[in-house]
């Protein structure tokens, strides 16, 4: 299955959860991130149960300090 993560194509196994994608991309342990799939924000408690589909567009945003 192919998805897009922050605009970059990634090939994953079928039936992959959002949590698995975040683990593969090393975002899973970062604090202050928000994740949207196809422009819909996914709550952190739903990351493990949310199954990705072919051509999903995942956006991962990290909070930063500063001004």
């Amino acid at each position: 299955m192919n998805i897009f993560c922050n605009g970059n194509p990634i090939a994953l196994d079928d039936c992959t959860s959002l949590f698995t994608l975040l683990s593969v991309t090393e975002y899973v342990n970062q604090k202050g991130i928000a994740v949207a799939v196809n422009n819909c924000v996914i709550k952190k408690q739903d990351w493990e149960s949310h199954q990705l589909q072919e051509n999903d567009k995942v956006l991962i945003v990290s909070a930063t300090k500063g001004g």
Side-chain angles (χ1 to χ4, degrees):
M1 160 174 73
N2 296 301
I3 60 114
F4 296 89
C5 182
N6 289 352
N8 299 311
I10 296 180
L12 298 170
D13 293 334
D14 289 342
C15 300
T16 298
S17 70
L18 180 57
F19 184 83
T20 301
L21 171 66
L22 295 172
S23 295
V24 168
T25 56
E26 299 181 2
Y27 280 101
V28 76
N29 293 321
Q30 287 188 12
K31 294 183 180 186
I33 67 169
V35 182
V37 177
N38 300 324
N39 297 318
C40 182
V41 175
I42 307 298
K43 294 178 184 178
K44 187 172 185 173
Q45 67 230 31
D46 296 330
W47 290 355
E48 287 189 49
S49 63
H50 186 90
Q51 296 296 308
L52 296 172
Q53 304 295 318
E54 182 76 25
N55 293 317
D56 273 352
K57 291 173 180 63
V58 179
L59 178 65
I60 303 169
V61 180
S62 341
T64 59
K65 294 181 186 178

